[in-house]
Amino acid sequence: MRELHQVQDDSPERSILARLILSNQQVEADPLEELHGLATTAGTEVMDELVQRRPSADHSTYLGKGKVEELRLMVERHDADLVIFDNDLSPAQTRNLEKAVGAKVLDRTELILDIFAAGARTYESRLAIELAQLEYSLPRLKRMWTHLSRQAMGVGMRGPGEKQLEVDRRLAQKRIHDLKQELSKVEQRRERQVKARKESPTVSLVGYTNAGKSTLMNALTEADVLAEDKLFATLDTRTRRWQLPGWGTVLLSDTVGFIRDLPHSLVASFKSTLEETRQAELLLHVADASSPTVFNQISAVYSVLKDLGIEEKDTLLILNKIDAIRDPATLNRVLDRYPNAITVSARSCKGLTLLTEAVGEALGREFLDLEIDVDAADGRLLAFLAAKGEVVSQTCDETTITVRVRMPTGAMGQVHRSALAIRPADGDSMSSEATEAVPVPDNPVSDSSTEVA
Ligand SMILES: Nc1nc2c(ncn2[C@@H]2O[C@H](COP(=O)(O)OP(=O)(O)OP(=O)(O)O)[C@@H](O)[C@H]2O)c(=O)[nH]1
Ligand SMILES: [Mg+2]
């Protein structure tokens, strides 16, 4: 997919950050801190920053005339290639600003899409990001001329004018249609795959980008997933077996982080990457308690969960990075608001025992509808299923009894040890032996799909 800020040589593009703050808007102490992180992640060198407070956005240039002129001078002074806005701009505003300041202009959504495009490694995340980018670009088609020409058109079809634009638009629409079809196939496949693993409950880490989800995953399962001080370090889903002490095996998934104002098309097209999260029995919402914007981050995550239609899932709030909090009052403020939150430091492994206990307890509240094959001679397991679960039906052949039962997930450890096979009541077969055979601690269950790069 298109690199929005590709340059000829290897030197990073020089960017200027800009943000309009509406007069009634509450903002962080440093209103451009997050955008700075995003711009750096995207590989640009930030040269300067500009903030304007105003009652409303200018219809044609977003910022007021005076500020646009200030921006133009900044671009000139720093020889900047790029102005990045923390806001979303209309296609016309982008065009007018580009003309006025003499540099390329990106808005926040475009920047986030660009970071995803550069970082996506798996087939499904590449499809997802290409779809999100195309949907975003369609009304701005003039700007993606070269990209589409290069990708899908023959030499003879090139040439300026409205006719060309029509061709481009049709090509983009066709590609969007194809991508949606392909993604829907991938989604269905993933849905089946994840369902087939339902013999163990899935716990999914969710949270704002950079909150420490991958670090926590590594600390809990001794997995070796990438964790770094960078926004959107994780763009796909990793699932590992987690031996929950005193409980049994659960599957722990780490996935892409969220951010405020995440483009809706991006959330929609990442549906398949977020399949584990959508099917999880329990969400661990990891928040960076040391961040001055922790409250905003927590609500941004709830809002994405809502977009995904899973805001009502059982969720534990994990306040991470408590080692980095200087003033205890900061943590108390968060705990006042979220008294049931669990405080941890994934980096120094503090609080993990309490976290583990809380997860075990939360999962104990859940039930699984299963079909379990039991050795006909295993009277103990049959008695256990009858005692702990709600047996719906029982069929048998010479050697095996198949029990349909609703089991509390908390009792599944014993079942795992003795059953011949465990399937979701409506799903495909899955041998319990196969699930036991996967080595722990470095125990990948799945990475969201084959790495393509
Ligand atoms: N001080 C401190 N830093 C932490 C802690 N947990 C994670 N970090 C740091 O926070 C940064 C981000 O950690 P990740 O685990 O990559 O965060 P993530 O939520 O997976 O981020 P994305 O995948 O980018 O969404 C890294 O530099 C970690 O070392 C913690 O408990 N304390
Ligand atoms: Mg991560």
Side-chain angles (χ1 to χ4, degrees):
M1 193 66 203
R2 139 184 95 135
E3 293 286 313
L4 283 168
H5 45 76
Q6 214 162 34
V7 276
Q8 300 309 317
D9 55 38
D10 280 344
S11 57
E13 267 190 311
R14 298 153 72 84
S15 65
I16 291 177
L17 309 183
R19 176 168 179 183
L20 174 74
I21 299 171
L22 298 176
S23 309
N24 58 356
Q25 206 179 346
Q26 291 268 330
V27 285
E28 313 78 20
D30 179 354
L32 282 168
E33 189 186 6
E34 184 171 274
L35 189 68
H36 197 288
L38 288 168
T40 314
T41 301
T44 80
E45 186 183 353
V46 177
M47 310 302 298
D48 215 336
E49 299 180 347
L50 177 144
V51 172
Q52 177 170 37
R53 283 168 203 275
R54 213 170 185 266
S56 66
D58 182 273
H59 187 65
S60 92
T61 52
Y62 203 75
L63 301 177
K65 273 202 178 52
K67 281 289 167 189
V68 173
E69 176 56 15
E70 213 178 295
L71 203 53
R72 187 188 68 77
L73 291 171
M74 262 187 194
V75 166
E76 206 172 85
R77 191 163 63 245
H78 296 290
D79 191 21
D81 310 284
L82 196 60
V83 178
I84 306 177
F85 274 78
D86 203 20
N87 314 85
D88 280 339
L89 305 173
S90 73
Q93 283 165 339
T94 305
R95 272 196 305 276
N96 295 338
L97 275 165
E98 283 185 342
K99 229 181 280 164
V101 303
K104 188 153 54 176
V105 170
L106 287 190
D107 70 6
R108 184 183 162 89
T109 294
E110 241 171 332
L111 179 65
I112 293 173
L113 291 175
D114 197 39
I115 293 173
F116 272 66
R121 290 284 170 271
T122 59
Y123 179 60
E124 65 181 332
S125 56
R126 286 195 173 184
L127 288 179
I129 184 61
E130 189 183 350
L131 176 61
Q133 275 190 317
L134 270 177
E135 286 191 319
Y136 184 81
S137 304
L138 201 55
R140 299 162 170 79
L141 243 182
K142 272 188 187 140
R143 313 186 64 223
M144 54 184 299
W145 195 284
T146 29
H147 158 65
L148 265 185
S149 309
R150 235 188 304 130
Q151 190 177 67
M153 289 188 4
V155 175
M157 294 178 78
R158 238 161 278 206
E162 278 307 303
K163 202 172 145 211
Q164 178 61 60
L165 202 60
E166 252 326 292
V167 175
D168 274 4
R169 199 165 282 142
R170 273 207 312 276
L171 280 170
Q173 273 157 350
K174 164 91 175 59
R175 180 80 186 137
I176 286 174
H177 175 264
D178 292 350
L179 282 167
K180 279 188 172 160
Q181 270 197 333
E182 182 59 19
L183 259 174
S184 136
K185 272 190 233 154
V186 174
E187 272 162 28
Q188 284 166 17
R189 201 163 52 232
R190 295 268 299 145
E191 200 179 324
R192 282 197 304 273
Q193 272 172 2
V194 177
K195 261 200 187 127
R197 286 199 231 117
K198 276 292 174 207
E199 95 292 3
S200 299
T202 300
V203 177
S204 180
L205 295 161
V206 293
Y208 212 76
T209 181
N210 215 41
K213 300 174 293 297
S214 301
T215 310
L216 187 59
M217 165 98 152
N218 287 337
L220 292 171
T221 67
E222 295 174 48
D224 190 19
V225 299
L226 174 76
E228 56 178 325
D229 193 9
K230 175 179 155 183
L231 303 180
F232 300 114
T234 309
L235 286 179
D236 39 42
T237 302
R238 310 271 161 150
T239 303
R240 298 289 181 270
R241 272 167 215 286
W242 179 22
Q243 299 299 338
L244 208 58
W247 202 92
T249 307
V250 302
L251 304 178
L252 184 66
S253 284
D254 173 33
T255 191
V256 57
F258 304 152
I259 197 163
R260 79 173 161 86
D261 305 327
L262 202 56
H264 285 271
S265 57
L266 192 63
V267 177
S269 47
F270 268 75
K271 198 172 149 215
S272 125
T273 301
L274 291 163
E275 189 58 40
E276 275 86 350
T277 308
R278 289 153 44 80
Q279 286 193 36
E281 272 71 22
L282 178 68
L283 303 181
L284 301 185
H285 174 175
V286 184
D288 175 356
S290 73
S291 161
T293 58
V294 60
F295 288 117
N296 293 343
Q297 296 191 3
I298 290 173
S299 28
V301 170
Y302 282 132
S303 132
V304 179
L305 293 178
K306 207 163 173 192
D307 268 5
L308 289 166
I310 55 172
E311 76 274 24
E312 285 178 0
K313 263 191 199 300
D314 201 3
T315 305
L316 298 181
L317 180 64
I318 316 292
L319 299 175
N320 187 32
K321 306 197 188 182
I322 51 166
D323 60 290
I325 297 176
R326 303 272 163 274
D327 176 10
T330 312
L331 184 59
N332 288 336
R333 246 196 10 253
V334 190
L335 281 171
D336 278 349
R337 180 114 147 237
Y338 300 102
N340 296 323
I342 299 158
T343 52
V344 304
S345 163
R347 183 178 277 179
S348 62
C349 294
K350 214 172 147 193
L352 298 192
T353 311
L354 280 178
L355 166 61
T356 305
E357 281 168 15
V359 171
E361 196 185 307
L363 285 174
R365 297 195 288 261
E366 294 287 333
F367 292 87
L368 295 171
D369 289 312
L370 300 168
E371 231 174 62
I372 301 174
D373 289 345
V374 183
D375 186 328
D378 193 346
R380 253 182 91 176
L381 180 58
L382 288 168
F384 181 81
L385 294 179
K388 296 281 174 182
E390 227 179 281
V391 176
V392 181
S393 67
Q394 220 166 286
T395 50
C396 55
D397 64 21
E398 269 170 32
T399 55
T400 309
I401 299 181
T402 300
V403 186
R404 276 186 79 126
V405 61
R406 167 162 252 235
M407 287 296 291
T409 39
M412 285 303 293
Q414 165 73 25
V415 181
H416 276 296
R417 277 191 291 277
S418 327
L420 297 176
I422 306 168
R423 301 176 286 277
D426 53 345
D428 297 328
S429 162
M430 193 174 209
S431 144
S432 66
E433 267 171 39
T435 68
E436 296 295 323
V438 179
V440 177
D442 188 17
N443 50 359
V445 172
S446 93
D447 296 339
S448 54
S449 72
T450 331
E451 296 243 337
V452 291

